[in-house]
Amino acid sequence: MTLRLVLAAAFLTLAANATRAADLPPADMPAEKVIDKLIDAPLALANVTPAKQLGDAAFIRRVTLDLVGRIPTPAETKAYVELKDANKRALLIDRLLASPGFARHQATMFEAMLNPDPVGKRGSGALTTYLTEALRENRPWDQIFRELMLPDETNDKMKGAADFLKVRLNDADRLTNDVSVAFFGVNVSCAQCHDHPLVHDWKQDHFYGMKSFFSRTYDAGGFLAERSTGLVKFKPNKGAEREAKLMFLTGTAVKTDTLREPTKDEQKAEKEASDKAKASKKAPPKPVFSARGQLVEVALKPENNAFFSRSIANRMWHRFFGVGLVSPLDQMHSENPPSHPELLAWLARDTANHGYDLKRLIRGIVMSQAYSRSSRYDTEAQPGPTTFAVAQLKPLTPMQLAASLKIATADPAYLEGKPDEIEKRIEQLEQSSRGFASLIAQPNDNFQIGVGEALLFSNGDRLMKDFLGDAGNTLLGKLKTEKDPNVVVDMLVFSAFGREPSNEERTAFTAFLAKRADRAAEANRQLLWALLTSPEFRFAY
């Protein structure tokens, strides 16, 4: 029997036993312990040895990329590797979670999640500003959901949340499906024209029931407005045209007498209120009955919140492991069970029970031994990605790549000093890298480097201009007066990769520099370019 079949049998056995016993790990068990228990059990049953744990240098690189969106500075790597504290992993994670860079990076990641096909440049709009502040304050995920669905445009600090709905107002079908995908892990678009042919969970009633929560929303002079009444009709596969309910994905329907077309008097009153708001350049008054508000209330009720809690747990797992417990992320239904159903159920329950605290969820994930496994495996018969026995390579996102290029090409001394000063310098480097980041494609689960990126890195002058200059506080500037090729090689490799060069690398690199001793500055630039364009730099491993 092949390794894949053995593992599959182990998963099925454990899932069946857990289903029969209805025995999730205790609610008070630390998340990282639950993760390791439920990931390791099927591996042990199948007699599969997981990959080794990462060394210190590789771990700080991975977790720094994942939590704050950049590689660590040379000083950060050296300090972590040399630290003898047995609790240093937790200390590092807590420091990163508390840093301003955490909010900045996670805001960029959440915007990419909410707007996979954004209007305008990702990471530079009002939604990012809102998300950054929300994550800096560690607002609960259910609160962020509420604020995105019911944005307060009278509050300057909150109105950026309205952009999620605004960019979709002209397409109610897209708005319906995007909300279902982003917050509930469900793509209901296949049920728009007919009941889903392969998944009995999704009927036309579900799609149009969800659409009914959004069909009353419209633009009023640049502000979001919502009618108190409205009706969505649809043509089923068979039979006469039907009127949709205000119905959530679970089948729970809202009882209301507002499922009707507005009267002429109501239309007149709403138009007058809208025109008055437009004239005064203010948000229109809130509706007497908000269908969007009802969606929030229904979706977060304990009897209905499994979609909401499981989706965010699955998305955070995917963010840090590169593979979801349910894949694809928008296919949470009975025909596509999780790879580890007990783990997803426990994480969802734990997240809901602790007020949808994103930092807590993230900390539990990155503290686990499963998270810090190596991406190298000792044998050719490597376990599949959904076993989580070995880490997956993850392509850097545009901002991760651009910010890391800035860190790797800066003078290491420029990134040393008091923590607050260093954080400001890093933020400045990140801001200066946004233009370059806009030239890089957002990676997906089937990532391949495109022709545009290949040309940009191979012969584009933008890379040279933005990262490979030798003036000011740059690495190449610092090395212009260094005569010892071994020192040059050490600094270049450590700045790019956060590790010492291997003996083979040292021999090859010093020989390369020796042949170009008459043009040392250009040789240093070429060697640094080779390191920065290598797979080792392009991926999180």
Side-chain angles (χ1 to χ4, degrees), residues 23 94 116 171 173 175 284 333 365 394 497 537:
D23 187 23
D94 289 339
D171 189 342
D173 292 336
L175 174 57
H333 53 72
I365 290 173
K394 295 186 298 183
F497 297 154
F537 194 85

Side-chain angles (χ1 to χ4, degrees), residues 18 23-25 34 38 305-306 309-311 313-314 325-326 332 338 340-353:
D23 187 23
L24 293 179
V34 173
L38 296 180
N305 71 3
S309 57
R310 285 177 180 242
S311 179
N314 190 49
L325 294 167
V326 174
M332 281 193 166
H340 297 71
E342 305 81 19
L343 177 55
L344 182 58
W346 191 95
L347 289 173
R349 183 187 70 182
D350 185 71
T351 300
N353 288 349

Side-chain angles (χ1 to χ4, degrees), residues 101-417:
F102 174 79
R104 293 195 302 270
H105 173 58
Q106 298 306 320
T108 302
M109 297 297 287
F110 270 103
E111 186 179 30
M113 180 188 104
L114 296 171
N115 288 336
D117 299 308
V119 176
K121 293 181 179 179
R122 178 180 288 117
S124 61
L127 181 59
T128 303
T129 301
Y130 160 78
L131 288 170
T132 302
E133 183 63 17
L135 292 164
R136 185 187 67 79
E137 295 178 358
N138 196 32
R139 288 180 206 162
W141 180 237
D142 59 336
Q143 181 181 339
I144 292 175
F145 170 57
R146 185 181 297 275
E147 290 170 356
L148 291 171
M149 293 297 99
L150 301 167
D152 181 3
E153 295 185 271
T154 65
N155 185 335
D156 287 342
K157 293 184 178 181
M158 300 289 291
K159 63 183 182 181
D163 275 17
F164 178 79
L165 295 175
K166 281 182 175 179
V167 298
R168 297 165 168 84
L169 276 185
N170 293 329
D171 189 342
D173 292 336
R174 177 194 171 197
L175 174 57
T176 298
N177 196 56
D178 283 2
V179 169
S180 297
V181 167
F183 297 101
F184 308 120
V186 172
N187 189 323
V188 292
S189 60
C190 282
Q192 182 176 347
C193 301
H194 48 73
D195 293 348
H196 199 295
L198 301 176
V199 182
H200 72 271
D201 305 37
W202 307 132
K203 313 293 185 185
Q204 282 183 290
D205 287 321
H206 293 98
F207 179 86
Y208 289 100
M210 289 293 290
K211 184 175 179 178
S212 294
F213 290 111
F214 301 103
S215 63
R216 306 177 188 189
T217 302
Y218 65 97
D219 179 271
F223 292 94
L224 288 172
E226 187 177 7
R227 301 180 180 90
S228 294
T229 62
L231 185 64
V232 172
K233 297 180 181 180
F234 66 97
K235 181 72 173 176
N237 297 9
K238 297 179 181 179
E241 185 177 64
R242 291 166 57 180
E243 296 179 356
K245 301 176 182 179
L246 278 176
M247 191 179 81
F248 186 55
L249 296 166
T250 57
T252 299
V254 177
K255 294 181 180 180
T256 175
D257 60 359
T258 67
L259 287 170
R260 57 178 176 78
E261 299 293 352
T263 65
K264 289 184 178 181
D265 288 342
E266 287 172 333
Q267 289 177 337
K268 181 179 179 182
E270 286 182 350
K271 186 177 186 306
E272 288 175 352
S274 180
D275 290 344
K276 184 178 179 180
K278 287 181 183 180
S280 61
K281 296 183 180 180
K282 293 182 179 179
K286 295 180 180 179
V288 175
F289 177 91
S290 171
R292 278 186 283 117
Q294 289 297 311
L295 171 64
V296 174
E297 299 306 321
V298 171
L300 295 179
K301 285 184 177 180
E303 61 267 30
N304 294 323
N305 71 3
F307 280 110
F308 185 74
S309 57
R310 285 177 180 242
S311 179
I312 190 60
N314 190 49
R315 284 186 175 276
M316 291 302 95
W317 186 272
H318 175 272
R319 182 174 299 178
F320 295 101
F321 281 88
V323 181
L325 294 167
V326 174
S327 294
L329 298 177
D330 63 352
Q331 295 297 321
M332 281 193 166
H333 53 72
S334 61
E335 302 297 324
N336 187 38
S339 61
H340 297 71
E342 305 81 19
L343 177 55
L344 182 58
W346 191 95
L347 289 173
R349 183 187 70 182
D350 185 71
T351 300
N353 288 349
H354 289 87
Y356 296 99
D357 184 339
L358 292 174
K359 273 191 179 180
R360 185 181 186 281
L361 172 59
I362 290 170
R363 187 183 190 278
I365 290 173
V366 299
M367 279 290 293
S368 70
Q369 297 291 300
Y371 169 78
S372 54
R373 283 175 179 150
S374 174
S375 57
R376 293 183 177 180
Y377 201 68
D378 292 337
T379 66
E380 293 184 2
Q382 182 168 306
T386 58
T387 66
F388 305 104
V390 57
Q392 303 301 300
L393 295 178
K394 295 186 298 183
L396 303 189
T397 66
M399 274 304 299
Q400 281 178 322
L401 180 56
S404 295
L405 285 167
K406 282 291 186 182
I407 298 296
T409 56
D411 180 352
Y414 180 67
L415 298 175
E416 296 177 3

